[in-house]
């Protein structure tokens, strides 16, 4: 077979999850509740009234899940730590039993030769910190760095790859602009403060890593190409505002040292004058960037849309259950754009995947050909980026397991492995078999249709 899609030998083939979405048992062994735990109990917040009380029960079944990963041939596993398991009040008193869970998980991964990629913050803030203002409070950045330092010390020599924040844009856009994620606020005043404190937290955690950690540390952002629906000036400007808001708002300050000037126009009087010493801090060098990619959007001007004045226009194309267009070339495009705009920085695709309405298991099998197509076409796009000179070092499918999809509850299923909502029995889908073949052949099977 031609080696057209062969990936580098040391490429990290992985899958990703996050603590709140899979672990369940959120209060076990002395853990403190997260603000997502509180949010999910408010009526009407989550589809079908779902909560993450049980999720995939990974907290108790992690051994079985590591075995699934081993059988899939994964080289790496990206997961997050629930801050409140380690510090039930967010700071101060350490909960050793909570920390022990992650030590056991990491050891189980290392035992079977799977490289752990640990995310420090994947959206579940200790509720005790939210009552003190959460990310809108400047001190939250310091609390985060202290928590990070504890983990660096506890996992030194075992975890080599760390990321600070997952998708800060979603944290703020959904949590402070739309109010559809915890903490459920709609506040244009607090949104830029939360943005800035998240990025300060990232930078302080990187500084703490230089003092106490070993290995590499990075940041994970979600990116989407934004196209204009027409040649009209109003549409083109709207698409550009959407692009700056989503793609540049978080990367410009950490890689170029300033927020895009358009941010002040988007937020008007709510956009603060950030002190120059803060902006110097944000530019703390880090080792790699993780990019989560799912889709693109095509935009028209819509003055009623908050901040960007841009609204997506549906295309004659395939869409996933999330209502996201399947657009594989966008992955190549965002990877190339990052290299063009920000220069050489090692990259990982830290999430990529699709929610489809899978059939129920029949005879222990679930055929999910649309997810296989999604993976195949996006991996080809990732390969095209490498061929064009992008320093892409790994790819993590989202997600290992069907899980708690935030405000959608369990209604959207992204897993390579089906998790029965009643019995929690795991059944690898045909996409898991496909991914195993991709990994075994270092990408060569992507040649086949
Ligand atoms: O499930 C989420 C994940 O937590 C963050 N990135 C996008 C995924 C799909 O919506």
């Amino acid at each position: 077979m031609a080696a057209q899609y062969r990936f580098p030998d040391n490429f990290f083939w992985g899958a990703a999850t996050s603590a709140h979405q899979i672990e369940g048992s959120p209060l076990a062994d002395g853990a403190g509740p997260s603000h997502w735990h509180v949010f999910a109990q408010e009526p009407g917040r989550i589809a079908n009234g779902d909560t993450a009380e049980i999720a995939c029960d990974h907290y108790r079944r992690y051994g079985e899940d590591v075995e699934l990963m081993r059988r899939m041939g994964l080289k790496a596993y990206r997961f997050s730590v629930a801050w409140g398991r380690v510090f039930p009040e967010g700071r101060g008193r350490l909960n050793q039993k909570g920390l022990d869970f992650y030590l056991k998980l990491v050891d189980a991964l290392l035992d079977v030769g799977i490289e752990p990629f640990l995310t420090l913050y994947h959206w579940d803030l200790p509720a005790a910190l939210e009552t003190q203002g959460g990310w809108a409070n400047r001190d939250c950045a310091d609390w985060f760095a202290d928590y990070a330092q504890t983990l660096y010390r506890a996992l030194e020599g075992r975890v080599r790859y760390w990321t600070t924040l997952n998708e800060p844009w979603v944290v703020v856009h959904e949590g402070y602009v739309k109010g559809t994620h915890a903490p459920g606020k709609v506040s244009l005043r607090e949104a830029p403060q939360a943005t800035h404190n998240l990025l300060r937290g990232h930078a302080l955690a990187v500084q703490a890593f230089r003092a106490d950690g070993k290995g590499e540390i990075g940041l994970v952002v979600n990116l989407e190409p934004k196209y204009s629906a027409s040649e009209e000036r109003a549409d083109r400007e709207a698409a550009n505002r959407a692009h700056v808001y989503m793609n540049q708002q978080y990367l410009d300050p950490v890689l170029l040292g300033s927020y895009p000037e358009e941010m002040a126009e988007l937020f008007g009087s709510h956009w603060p004058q950030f002190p120059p010493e803060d902006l110097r801090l944000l530019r703390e060098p880090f080792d790699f960037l993780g990019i989560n990619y799912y889709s693109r959007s095509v935009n028209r001007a819509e003055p009623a849309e908050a901040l960007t004045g841009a609204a997506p226009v549906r295309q004659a194309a395939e869409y996933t259950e999330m209502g996201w267009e399947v657009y594989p070339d966008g992955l190549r495009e965002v990877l190339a754009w990052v290299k063009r705009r920000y220069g050489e920085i090692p990259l990982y695709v830290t999430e990529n995947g699709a929610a489809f309405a899978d059939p129920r298991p029949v005879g222990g099998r679930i055929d999910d050909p649309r997810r296989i197509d999604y993976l195949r076409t996006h991996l080809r796009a990732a390969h095209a980026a490498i061929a064009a000179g992008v320093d892409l070092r790994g790819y993590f499918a989202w997600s290992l397991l069907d899980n708690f999809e935030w405000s959608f509850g369990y209604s959207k299923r992204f897993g390579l492995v089906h998790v029965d909502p009643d019995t929690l029995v795991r059944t690898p889908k045909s996409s898991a078999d496909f991914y195993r073949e991709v990994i075994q052949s270092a990408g060569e099977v992507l040649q086949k249709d």
Side-chain angles (χ1 to χ4, degrees), residues 18 21 122-123 166-167 292 294 322 324 351 398 403 405-406 414:
S18 88
Q21 293 179 272
H122 196 126
W123 306 357
N166 182 68
E167 300 183 1
N292 295 352
Y294 289 91
M322 296 295 285
W324 298 343
E351 285 180 28
W398 184 271
N403 61 43
E405 177 56 25
W406 307 109
F414 279 88

Side-chain angles (χ1 to χ4, degrees), residues 113-158:
I114 296 177
E115 187 77 46
F117 275 62
L118 187 155
T119 300
L120 288 160
Y121 186 71
H122 196 126
W123 306 357
D124 43 357
L125 188 74
L129 299 185
E130 185 55 42
T131 59
Q132 294 164 69
W135 287 110
N137 180 341
R138 260 185 92 77
D139 294 341
C140 201
D142 301 282
W143 303 332
F144 177 63
D146 290 346
Y147 147 69
Q149 185 186 48
T150 301
L151 286 182
Y152 303 149
R153 290 179 179 165
L155 288 163
E156 195 199 314
R158 292 163 163 172

Side-chain angles (χ1 to χ4, degrees), residues 76-91:
Y77 174 53
R78 175 174 178 250
F79 64 98
S80 76
V81 170
W83 184 344
R85 285 202 195 280
V86 182
F87 288 105
E89 291 85 33
R91 60 200 173 113

Side-chain angles (χ1 to χ4, degrees), residues 415-439:
L416 298 174
V417 175
H418 173 268
V419 179
D420 186 289
D422 301 318
T423 64
L424 302 172
V425 166
R426 278 89 163 123
T427 308
K429 304 176 190 175
S430 47
S431 56
D433 298 335
F434 171 75
Y435 194 41
R436 191 187 56 244
E437 288 168 22
V438 171
I439 297 170

Side-chain angles (χ1 to χ4, degrees), residues 15-18 21-23 54-59 61-62 64-66 68-69 72 74 77-78 354 358 371 397-405 410 412-420 424-429:
T17 63
S18 88
Q21 293 179 272
I22 65 163
E23 286 177 358
I54 298 176
C56 306
D57 197 25
H58 173 79
Y59 190 69
R61 297 174 194 233
Y62 72 91
E64 186 186 338
D65 293 337
V66 172
L68 282 168
M69 297 180 217
M72 219 184 281
L74 297 190
Y77 174 53
R78 175 174 178 250
D358 299 321
R371 188 170 289 102
W398 184 271
S399 177
L400 177 70
L401 304 171
D402 287 340
N403 61 43
F404 177 76
E405 177 56 25
Y410 299 98
K412 310 289 178 204
R413 306 178 78 76
F414 279 88
L416 298 174
V417 175
H418 173 268
V419 179
D420 186 289
L424 302 172
V425 166
R426 278 89 163 123
T427 308
K429 304 176 190 175

